[in-house]
Amino acid sequence: MERNVTLIRKALAVLLPLFIAVFAVLHVAMPDRSFSEAENRVLLQLPRFSLKALMSGQFTADFDQYVSDQFVFRDAWIGVKTDVDRALGKKENGGVFLAGDGYLIQTFNPPSEADVEKRAEAILAFDRATPELRKYVMLVPTAATVLQDKLPPFASAGDELQYLDRMRSRFRGTVHDIDVYPALDAMREKPIFYQTDHHWTTLGAYTAYVELCKHLGLNPLRQDEFDIRQATDHFYGSLYSTSGFRHLRPDRIELYWPKDPVKYTVTYVDEGLTTDSLYAVDQLEAKDKYAVFLNGNHGLVEIKTAHPSRKKLLLVKDSYANSLIPFLLPHFSEIDVVDLRYYEEDLASFAKARDFDDMLLLYNANTFFEDSSILTLHESE
């Protein structure tokens, strides 16, 4: 027995340095990658050396991240790690739960009381600056709330509804709040959220569109007034990329094409690009296939329809709105879409100059409470 242990130790003493040497050679021989398709992010390149960076510790930190990002067969190793974690019963990685029915569900990080108040005040300040504009706010609970029963036992995903209710209490008598949770909850047995992505599906967006129309006094199109087509059945979304969990079924993306289509033009203002479709079908060949809706996120997008006599809408949003916007075309003459994460102008001045009738602020709960760009509304007062 002792002899066998000695042989194993000797073998490890030889194999471990050999293993390290082989990977060191491969690391040097193989070119650095600029992007990880599996993680859907840019990978760090070799940092520039300087004495100042070395003394501050920045070079060392960047170099450690560089080695981690460029580690040979990194994507495969991540998959092996998460497979081992799953075999050991681990159901959470990187703030993402491996939930029932193959769903990946992102946890909700509760904001501080100060953050809740700052966001409410930013919206109220904008309301005071633009009193002639009717405002509607739709803060969407995520799968962590709507599909809570699919979470692993004892998983804590945060209480989104508690914080959304606090926001609503600040809006009473000022802006119109649209509580979309009951409508989504009623559809919870349907595929209203992607399994590998944090967005709602087109069906989820349609469900919210019907609820929105009730508040805006509009008659929503029925589902049978659309030709529902599968755009792809091989979509691995953001949560698949960030969690590292593998061996899951891909999602499918559906597009709702109206049987009585509305003519319209879409102008991506910052890019100087005009097109006649809200769908960027070439994105279905890319990693982030959700970008098929509105070609991803942009600072300002102007949409003009063939109904010049109808109302004008200002839509301030995150990416949840991208798949809902096509449903709004029959109801408005113009829809201007602003993403505050990329928009740098004064929004109050823009709203006054364009003479909008309605404004819709649409965010999912996670983005609304985590992204600080919503606070720039306050600068408009």
Side-chain angles (χ1 to χ4, degrees):
M1 179 69 177
E2 184 177 343
R3 184 167 179 266
N4 290 338
V5 171
T6 301
L7 288 173
I8 291 173
R9 287 176 176 172
K10 288 182 178 179
L12 289 175
V14 174
L15 291 175
L16 184 58
L18 180 61
F19 178 84
I20 294 173
V22 168
F23 272 82
V25 170
L26 287 173
H27 179 77
V28 173
M30 297 178 67
D32 288 348
R33 297 187 303 154
S34 61
F35 187 81
S36 169
E37 286 285 342
E39 297 176 79
N40 195 29
R41 70 177 182 89
V42 175
L43 300 176
L44 191 66
Q45 303 301 293
L46 181 65
R48 185 185 298 274
F49 176 83
S50 71
L51 186 59
K52 180 180 179 181
L54 180 64
M55 296 300 292
S56 68
Q58 187 62 50
F59 177 81
T60 303
D62 288 346
F63 188 80
D64 286 345
Q65 184 61 51
Y66 161 74
V67 172
S68 175
D69 279 7
Q70 301 297 339
F71 194 80
V72 179
F73 308 130
R74 172 185 170 85
D75 293 343
W77 286 113
I78 290 174
V80 169
K81 177 186 179 300
T82 53
D83 284 347
V84 172
D85 288 343
R86 287 178 68 176
L88 295 174
K90 185 176 180 181
K91 297 291 187 179
E92 184 274 335
N93 193 39
V96 178
F97 291 106
L98 179 60
D101 297 329
Y103 276 87
L104 296 177
I105 296 180
Q106 182 179 21
T107 187
F108 172 70
N109 296 314
S112 67
E113 293 296 329
D115 279 340
V116 173
E117 181 59 29
K118 286 178 182 178
R119 281 158 172 74
E121 180 54 33
I123 294 171
L124 294 173
F126 184 82
D127 182 52
R128 292 191 294 268
T130 55
E132 71 289 345
L133 182 60
R134 287 187 299 271
K135 299 172 188 72
Y136 302 83
V137 176
M138 179 186 286
L139 301 180
V140 183
T142 67
T145 293
V146 181
L147 305 182
Q148 192 168 14
D149 67 322
K150 296 185 185 297
L151 289 170
F154 311 111
S156 175
D159 190 350
E160 289 180 339
L161 296 183
Q162 173 188 346
Y163 291 94
L164 295 181
D165 286 342
R166 290 183 189 178
M167 293 297 299
R168 291 190 188 98
S169 68
R170 295 285 279 110
F171 295 154
R172 291 194 181 104
T174 53
V175 301
H176 303 278
D177 178 76
I178 302 174
D179 183 4
V180 74
Y181 171 71
L184 293 174
D185 186 60
M187 292 285 289
R188 58 186 317 282
E189 298 302 326
K190 302 289 185 179
I192 56 174
F193 289 97
Y194 293 111
Q195 292 181 290
T196 68
D197 192 73
H198 70 285
H199 293 101
W200 54 17
T201 63
T202 320
L203 176 59
Y206 174 79
T207 302
Y209 153 72
V210 173
E211 186 66 23
L212 174 64
C213 285
K214 295 177 184 178
H215 291 261
L216 294 180
L218 304 173
N219 294 319
L221 272 66
R222 304 183 310 275
Q223 273 192 288
D224 61 11
E225 294 181 82
F226 294 94
D227 180 12
I228 303 174
R229 307 175 196 170
Q230 178 178 286
T232 180
D233 61 355
H234 201 75
F235 171 42
Y236 286 105
S238 60
L239 301 183
Y240 181 88
S241 299
T242 58
S243 69
F245 288 117
R246 298 295 181 260
H247 313 303
L248 300 170
R249 293 191 305 272
D251 282 299
R252 51 189 271 173
I253 295 178
E254 293 181 332
L255 303 182
Y256 282 44
W257 297 91
K259 295 178 179 178
D260 184 16
V262 175
K263 291 184 178 181
Y264 60 92
T265 59
V266 182
T267 300
Y268 298 96
V269 175
D270 294 339
E271 295 79 3
L273 174 67
T274 298
T275 180
D276 61 355
S277 178
L278 285 168
Y279 299 123
V281 293
D282 57 317
Q283 295 288 359
L284 295 172
E285 304 300 322
K287 173 66 172 67
D288 184 13
K289 292 177 171 52
Y290 186 79
V292 67
F293 300 105
L294 207 65
N295 201 19
N297 297 311
H298 305 266
L300 175 61
V301 181
E302 297 175 353
I303 305 168
K304 295 186 178 181
T305 75
H307 301 299
S309 62
R310 296 182 182 175
K311 296 193 297 183
K312 297 170 62 176
L313 175 70
L314 171 62
L315 201 165
V316 180
K317 58 86 184 182
D318 68 5
S319 55
Y320 260 51
N322 295 2
S323 55
L324 183 143
I325 291 171
F327 297 116
L328 300 178
L329 295 178
H331 307 290
F332 295 94
S333 64
E334 182 176 335
I335 305 171
D336 284 28
V337 183
V338 172
D339 192 322
L340 293 173
R341 294 170 293 184
Y342 312 102
Y343 186 75
E344 298 179 354
E345 303 301 322
D346 179 72
L347 189 61
S349 298
F350 176 76
K352 293 173 182 176
R354 292 299 182 94
D355 195 27
F356 294 104
D357 299 285
D358 298 323
M359 170 183 169
L360 171 64
L361 189 144
L362 194 162
Y363 281 77
N364 78 79
N366 260 330
T367 302
F368 180 78
F369 287 116
E370 290 184 357
D371 189 88
S372 61
S373 64
I374 189 68
L375 301 179
T376 62
L377 277 173
H378 191 279
E379 299 170 2
S380 299
E381 189 179 33

mmCIF file of all heavy atoms in Angstrom, residues 326-356:
data_model
loop_
_atom_site.group_PDB
_atom_site.id
_atom_site.type_symbol
_atom_site.label_atom_id
_atom_site.label_comp_id
_atom_site.label_asym_id
_atom_site.label_seq_id
_atom_site.Cartn_x
_atom_site.Cartn_y
_atom_site.Cartn_z
ATOM 1 N N PRO A 326 -43.214 46.600 -31.555
ATOM 2 C CA PRO A 326 -43.966 46.308 -32.790
ATOM 3 C C PRO A 326 -45.476 46.263 -32.609
ATOM 4 O O PRO A 326 -46.226 46.590 -33.542
ATOM 5 C CB PRO A 326 -43.420 44.933 -33.210
ATOM 6 C CG PRO A 326 -42.032 44.903 -32.652
ATOM 7 C CD PRO A 326 -42.131 45.619 -31.337
ATOM 8 N N PHE A 327 -45.947 45.892 -31.426
ATOM 9 C CA PHE A 327 -47.392 45.837 -31.180
ATOM 10 C C PHE A 327 -48.021 47.227 -31.141
ATOM 11 O O PHE A 327 -49.234 47.369 -31.329
ATOM 12 C CB PHE A 327 -47.678 45.111 -29.863
ATOM 13 C CG PHE A 327 -47.243 43.674 -29.845
ATOM 14 C CD1 PHE A 327 -46.249 43.239 -28.972
ATOM 15 C CD2 PHE A 327 -47.819 42.749 -30.690
ATOM 16 C CE1 PHE A 327 -45.847 41.914 -28.955
ATOM 17 C CE2 PHE A 327 -47.430 41.412 -30.696
ATOM 18 C CZ PHE A 327 -46.437 40.998 -29.813
ATOM 19 N N LEU A 328 -47.229 48.249 -30.905
ATOM 20 C CA LEU A 328 -47.759 49.606 -30.732
ATOM 21 C C LEU A 328 -47.961 50.353 -32.048
ATOM 22 O O LEU A 328 -48.606 51.402 -32.071
ATOM 23 C CB LEU A 328 -46.818 50.420 -29.835
ATOM 24 C CG LEU A 328 -46.585 49.870 -28.422
ATOM 25 C CD1 LEU A 328 -45.584 50.757 -27.679
ATOM 26 C CD2 LEU A 328 -47.888 49.755 -27.653
ATOM 27 N N LEU A 329 -47.419 49.843 -33.136
ATOM 28 C CA LEU A 329 -47.440 50.573 -34.405
ATOM 29 C C LEU A 329 -48.831 50.992 -34.878
ATOM 30 O O LEU A 329 -48.999 52.114 -35.366
ATOM 31 C CB LEU A 329 -46.757 49.742 -35.492
ATOM 32 C CG LEU A 329 -45.254 49.481 -35.309
ATOM 33 C CD1 LEU A 329 -44.731 48.605 -36.440
ATOM 34 C CD2 LEU A 329 -44.474 50.783 -35.246
ATOM 35 N N PRO A 330 -49.864 50.144 -34.763
ATOM 36 C CA PRO A 330 -51.180 50.560 -35.279
ATOM 37 C C PRO A 330 -51.825 51.697 -34.488
ATOM 38 O O PRO A 330 -52.798 52.294 -34.954
ATOM 39 C CB PRO A 330 -52.024 49.285 -35.165
ATOM 40 C CG PRO A 330 -51.065 48.164 -34.982
ATOM 41 C CD PRO A 330 -49.901 48.757 -34.264
ATOM 42 N N HIS A 331 -51.276 52.016 -33.316
ATOM 43 C CA HIS A 331 -51.970 52.928 -32.407
ATOM 44 C C HIS A 331 -51.390 54.339 -32.375
ATOM 45 O O HIS A 331 -51.988 55.225 -31.750
ATOM 46 C CB HIS A 331 -51.945 52.341 -30.996
ATOM 47 C CG HIS A 331 -52.463 50.949 -30.900
ATOM 48 N ND1 HIS A 331 -53.798 50.645 -31.068
ATOM 49 C CD2 HIS A 331 -51.838 49.758 -30.675
ATOM 50 C CE1 HIS A 331 -53.971 49.330 -30.929
ATOM 51 N NE2 HIS A 331 -52.795 48.777 -30.692
ATOM 52 N N PHE A 332 -50.253 54.574 -33.015
ATOM 53 C CA PHE A 332 -49.586 55.869 -32.911
ATOM 54 C C PHE A 332 -49.090 56.349 -34.270
ATOM 55 O O PHE A 332 -48.790 55.545 -35.161
ATOM 56 C CB PHE A 332 -48.406 55.792 -31.937
ATOM 57 C CG PHE A 332 -48.809 55.523 -30.519
ATOM 58 C CD1 PHE A 332 -48.837 54.223 -30.026
ATOM 59 C CD2 PHE A 332 -49.184 56.557 -29.672
ATOM 60 C CE1 PHE A 332 -49.218 53.958 -28.730
ATOM 61 C CE2 PHE A 332 -49.571 56.304 -28.367
ATOM 62 C CZ PHE A 332 -49.593 55.002 -27.896
ATOM 63 N N SER A 333 -49.000 57.653 -34.418
ATOM 64 C CA SER A 333 -48.424 58.229 -35.636
ATOM 65 C C SER A 333 -46.904 58.239 -35.551
ATOM 66 O O SER A 333 -46.210 58.112 -36.561
ATOM 67 C CB SER A 333 -48.930 59.667 -35.833
ATOM 68 O OG SER A 333 -48.488 60.509 -34.768
ATOM 69 N N GLU A 334 -46.401 58.397 -34.324
ATOM 70 C CA GLU A 334 -44.953 58.465 -34.124
ATOM 71 C C GLU A 334 -44.611 57.894 -32.757
ATOM 72 O O GLU A 334 -45.318 58.138 -31.777
ATOM 73 C CB GLU A 334 -44.466 59.911 -34.221
ATOM 74 C CG GLU A 334 -42.958 60.080 -34.064
ATOM 75 C CD GLU A 334 -42.514 61.513 -34.271
ATOM 76 O OE1 GLU A 334 -43.232 62.265 -34.972
ATOM 77 O OE2 GLU A 334 -41.459 61.896 -33.723
ATOM 78 N N ILE A 335 -43.542 57.118 -32.699
ATOM 79 C CA ILE A 335 -43.020 56.584 -31.446
ATOM 80 C C ILE A 335 -41.532 56.890 -31.406
ATOM 81 O O ILE A 335 -40.770 56.420 -32.259
ATOM 82 C CB ILE A 335 -43.235 55.059 -31.324
ATOM 83 C CG1 ILE A 335 -44.713 54.693 -31.503
ATOM 84 C CG2 ILE A 335 -42.710 54.544 -29.991
ATOM 85 C CD1 ILE A 335 -44.961 53.195 -31.609
ATOM 86 N N ASP A 336 -41.136 57.703 -30.445
ATOM 87 C CA ASP A 336 -39.712 57.994 -30.272
ATOM 88 C C ASP A 336 -39.214 57.201 -29.067
ATOM 89 O O ASP A 336 -39.763 57.322 -27.963
ATOM 90 C CB ASP A 336 -39.481 59.485 -30.058
ATOM 91 C CG ASP A 336 -39.595 60.263 -31.372
ATOM 92 O OD1 ASP A 336 -40.334 59.793 -32.255
ATOM 93 O OD2 ASP A 336 -38.955 61.317 -31.496
ATOM 94 N N VAL A 337 -38.186 56.393 -29.294
ATOM 95 C CA VAL A 337 -37.708 55.442 -28.301
ATOM 96 C C VAL A 337 -36.367 55.918 -27.752
ATOM 97 O O VAL A 337 -35.405 56.088 -28.511
ATOM 98 C CB VAL A 337 -37.559 54.036 -28.922
ATOM 99 C CG1 VAL A 337 -37.138 53.029 -27.854
ATOM 100 C CG2 VAL A 337 -38.865 53.602 -29.595
ATOM 101 N N VAL A 338 -36.308 56.120 -26.452
ATOM 102 C CA VAL A 338 -35.096 56.633 -25.806
ATOM 103 C C VAL A 338 -34.589 55.606 -24.804
ATOM 104 O O VAL A 338 -35.345 55.132 -23.946
ATOM 105 C CB VAL A 338 -35.364 57.969 -25.087
ATOM 106 C CG1 VAL A 338 -34.153 58.384 -24.247
ATOM 107 C CG2 VAL A 338 -35.707 59.055 -26.102
ATOM 108 N N ASP A 339 -33.317 55.269 -24.919
ATOM 109 C CA ASP A 339 -32.634 54.424 -23.939
ATOM 110 C C ASP A 339 -31.641 55.314 -23.211
ATOM 111 O O ASP A 339 -30.636 55.736 -23.785
ATOM 112 C CB ASP A 339 -31.921 53.261 -24.620
ATOM 113 C CG ASP A 339 -31.451 52.202 -23.635
ATOM 114 O OD1 ASP A 339 -31.003 52.583 -22.529
ATOM 115 O OD2 ASP A 339 -31.518 51.001 -23.959
ATOM 116 N N LEU A 340 -31.932 55.636 -21.956
ATOM 117 C CA LEU A 340 -31.129 56.603 -21.204
ATOM 118 C C LEU A 340 -29.696 56.146 -20.994
ATOM 119 O O LEU A 340 -28.820 56.964 -20.693
ATOM 120 C CB LEU A 340 -31.788 56.880 -19.853
ATOM 121 C CG LEU A 340 -33.130 57.617 -19.908
ATOM 122 C CD1 LEU A 340 -33.757 57.672 -18.519
ATOM 123 C CD2 LEU A 340 -32.957 59.020 -20.475
ATOM 124 N N ARG A 341 -29.433 54.862 -21.163
ATOM 125 C CA ARG A 341 -28.064 54.375 -21.024
ATOM 126 C C ARG A 341 -27.162 54.893 -22.136
ATOM 127 O O ARG A 341 -25.938 54.910 -21.988
ATOM 128 C CB ARG A 341 -28.059 52.841 -21.007
ATOM 129 C CG ARG A 341 -28.750 52.236 -19.788
ATOM 130 C CD ARG A 341 -28.947 50.748 -19.912
ATOM 131 N NE ARG A 341 -29.898 50.411 -20.975
ATOM 132 C CZ ARG A 341 -30.296 49.177 -21.239
ATOM 133 N NH1 ARG A 341 -29.840 48.166 -20.517
ATOM 134 N NH2 ARG A 341 -31.166 48.940 -22.205
ATOM 135 N N TYR A 342 -27.781 55.316 -23.251
ATOM 136 C CA TYR A 342 -27.005 55.768 -24.408
ATOM 137 C C TYR A 342 -27.411 57.164 -24.881
ATOM 138 O O TYR A 342 -26.844 57.674 -25.836
ATOM 139 C CB TYR A 342 -27.170 54.774 -25.566
ATOM 140 C CG TYR A 342 -26.983 53.334 -25.136
ATOM 141 C CD1 TYR A 342 -28.082 52.499 -24.927
ATOM 142 C CD2 TYR A 342 -25.717 52.820 -24.907
ATOM 143 C CE1 TYR A 342 -27.909 51.188 -24.507
ATOM 144 C CE2 TYR A 342 -25.533 51.499 -24.497
ATOM 145 C CZ TYR A 342 -26.645 50.696 -24.300
ATOM 146 O OH TYR A 342 -26.469 49.395 -23.876
ATOM 147 N N TYR A 343 -28.398 57.760 -24.232
ATOM 148 C CA TYR A 343 -28.916 59.063 -24.653
ATOM 149 C C TYR A 343 -28.277 60.160 -23.813
ATOM 150 O O TYR A 343 -28.279 60.087 -22.575
ATOM 151 C CB TYR A 343 -30.443 59.085 -24.490
ATOM 152 C CG TYR A 343 -31.114 60.319 -25.022
ATOM 153 C CD1 TYR A 343 -31.282 60.509 -26.391
ATOM 154 C CD2 TYR A 343 -31.590 61.307 -24.152
ATOM 155 C CE1 TYR A 343 -31.914 61.639 -26.886
ATOM 156 C CE2 TYR A 343 -32.218 62.436 -24.639
ATOM 157 C CZ TYR A 343 -32.379 62.604 -26.009
ATOM 158 O OH TYR A 343 -32.997 63.728 -26.494
ATOM 159 N N GLU A 344 -27.746 61.191 -24.447
ATOM 160 C CA GLU A 344 -26.973 62.201 -23.729
ATOM 161 C C GLU A 344 -27.600 63.599 -23.762
ATOM 162 O O GLU A 344 -27.060 64.529 -23.169
ATOM 163 C CB GLU A 344 -25.550 62.272 -24.300
ATOM 164 C CG GLU A 344 -24.775 60.964 -24.153
ATOM 165 C CD GLU A 344 -23.384 61.038 -24.735
ATOM 166 O OE1 GLU A 344 -23.064 62.074 -25.361
ATOM 167 O OE2 GLU A 344 -22.611 60.080 -24.557
ATOM 168 N N GLU A 345 -28.732 63.767 -24.419
ATOM 169 C CA GLU A 345 -29.355 65.085 -24.517
ATOM 170 C C GLU A 345 -30.321 65.311 -23.339
ATOM 171 O O GLU A 345 -30.574 64.408 -22.535
ATOM 172 C CB GLU A 345 -30.094 65.210 -25.848
ATOM 173 C CG GLU A 345 -29.209 64.971 -27.070
ATOM 174 C CD GLU A 345 -28.042 65.927 -27.157
ATOM 175 O OE1 GLU A 345 -28.225 67.118 -26.815
ATOM 176 O OE2 GLU A 345 -26.945 65.495 -27.534
ATOM 177 N N ASP A 346 -30.865 66.509 -23.269
ATOM 178 C CA ASP A 346 -31.842 66.849 -22.239
ATOM 179 C C ASP A 346 -33.214 66.330 -22.668
ATOM 180 O O ASP A 346 -33.792 66.807 -23.651
ATOM 181 C CB ASP A 346 -31.876 68.362 -22.027
ATOM 182 C CG ASP A 346 -32.893 68.753 -20.970
ATOM 183 O OD1 ASP A 346 -32.628 68.480 -19.781
ATOM 184 O OD2 ASP A 346 -33.940 69.307 -21.337
ATOM 185 N N LEU A 347 -33.733 65.366 -21.932
ATOM 186 C CA LEU A 347 -34.962 64.699 -22.360
ATOM 187 C C LEU A 347 -36.185 65.602 -22.228
ATOM 188 O O LEU A 347 -37.094 65.537 -23.057
ATOM 189 C CB LEU A 347 -35.171 63.412 -21.557
ATOM 190 C CG LEU A 347 -36.298 62.507 -22.059
ATOM 191 C CD1 LEU A 347 -36.034 62.038 -23.477
ATOM 192 C CD2 LEU A 347 -36.481 61.308 -21.131
ATOM 193 N N ALA A 348 -36.231 66.449 -21.211
ATOM 194 C CA ALA A 348 -37.380 67.343 -21.047
ATOM 195 C C ALA A 348 -37.485 68.303 -22.227
ATOM 196 O O ALA A 348 -38.584 68.537 -22.754
ATOM 197 C CB ALA A 348 -37.260 68.118 -19.734
ATOM 198 N N SER A 349 -36.364 68.848 -22.651
ATOM 199 C CA SER A 349 -36.366 69.752 -23.812
ATOM 200 C C SER A 349 -36.800 69.018 -25.067
ATOM 201 O O SER A 349 -37.566 69.546 -25.884
ATOM 202 C CB SER A 349 -34.972 70.354 -24.009
ATOM 203 O OG SER A 349 -34.592 71.118 -22.885
ATOM 204 N N PHE A 350 -36.337 67.784 -25.205
ATOM 205 C CA PHE A 350 -36.713 66.965 -26.363
ATOM 206 C C PHE A 350 -38.216 66.696 -26.358
ATOM 207 O O PHE A 350 -38.886 66.818 -27.391
ATOM 208 C CB PHE A 350 -35.931 65.650 -26.332
ATOM 209 C CG PHE A 350 -36.298 64.687 -27.418
ATOM 210 C CD1 PHE A 350 -35.857 64.883 -28.720
ATOM 211 C CD2 PHE A 350 -37.081 63.572 -27.154
ATOM 212 C CE1 PHE A 350 -36.189 64.000 -29.729
ATOM 213 C CE2 PHE A 350 -37.417 62.682 -28.150
ATOM 214 C CZ PHE A 350 -36.976 62.894 -29.443
ATOM 215 N N ALA A 351 -38.763 66.348 -25.185
ATOM 216 C CA ALA A 351 -40.195 66.040 -25.086
ATOM 217 C C ALA A 351 -41.049 67.251 -25.428
ATOM 218 O O ALA A 351 -42.068 67.140 -26.120
ATOM 219 C CB ALA A 351 -40.516 65.543 -23.679
ATOM 220 N N LYS A 352 -40.635 68.439 -24.967
ATOM 221 C CA LYS A 352 -41.386 69.656 -25.251
ATOM 222 C C LYS A 352 -41.319 70.016 -26.730
ATOM 223 O O LYS A 352 -42.313 70.449 -27.332
ATOM 224 C CB LYS A 352 -40.851 70.800 -24.402
ATOM 225 C CG LYS A 352 -41.115 70.622 -22.907
ATOM 226 C CD LYS A 352 -40.405 71.695 -22.092
ATOM 227 C CE LYS A 352 -40.616 71.490 -20.606
ATOM 228 N NZ LYS A 352 -39.861 72.468 -19.786
ATOM 229 N N ALA A 353 -40.146 69.831 -27.330
ATOM 230 C CA ALA A 353 -39.974 70.191 -28.739
ATOM 231 C C ALA A 353 -40.797 69.288 -29.653
ATOM 232 O O ALA A 353 -41.309 69.741 -30.685
ATOM 233 C CB ALA A 353 -38.497 70.120 -29.117
ATOM 234 N N ARG A 354 -40.952 68.017 -29.279
ATOM 235 C CA ARG A 354 -41.669 67.069 -30.138
ATOM 236 C C ARG A 354 -43.167 67.047 -29.874
ATOM 237 O O ARG A 354 -43.914 66.430 -30.637
ATOM 238 C CB ARG A 354 -41.088 65.663 -29.937
ATOM 239 C CG ARG A 354 -39.659 65.503 -30.461
ATOM 240 C CD ARG A 354 -39.571 65.762 -31.955
ATOM 241 N NE ARG A 354 -38.237 65.558 -32.460
ATOM 242 C CZ ARG A 354 -37.782 64.428 -32.994
ATOM 243 N NH1 ARG A 354 -38.587 63.390 -33.083
ATOM 244 N NH2 ARG A 354 -36.548 64.343 -33.425
ATOM 245 N N ASP A 355 -43.612 67.651 -28.792
ATOM 246 C CA ASP A 355 -45.043 67.758 -28.505
ATOM 247 C C ASP A 355 -45.715 66.385 -28.448
ATOM 248 O O ASP A 355 -46.724 66.127 -29.113
ATOM 249 C CB ASP A 355 -45.724 68.646 -29.550
ATOM 250 C CG ASP A 355 -47.126 69.086 -29.102
ATOM 251 O OD1 ASP A 355 -47.363 69.154 -27.886
ATOM 252 O OD2 ASP A 355 -47.961 69.340 -29.990
ATOM 253 N N PHE A 356 -45.195 65.488 -27.628
ATOM 254 C CA PHE A 356 -45.774 64.152 -27.466
ATOM 255 C C PHE A 356 -47.089 64.235 -26.690
ATOM 256 O O PHE A 356 -47.299 65.134 -25.880
ATOM 257 C CB PHE A 356 -44.801 63.239 -26.709
ATOM 258 C CG PHE A 356 -43.537 62.944 -27.445
ATOM 259 C CD1 PHE A 356 -42.345 63.564 -27.093
ATOM 260 C CD2 PHE A 356 -43.518 62.042 -28.496
ATOM 261 C CE1 PHE A 356 -41.165 63.297 -27.760
ATOM 262 C CE2 PHE A 356 -42.350 61.761 -29.180
ATOM 263 C CZ PHE A 356 -41.164 62.397 -28.813
#
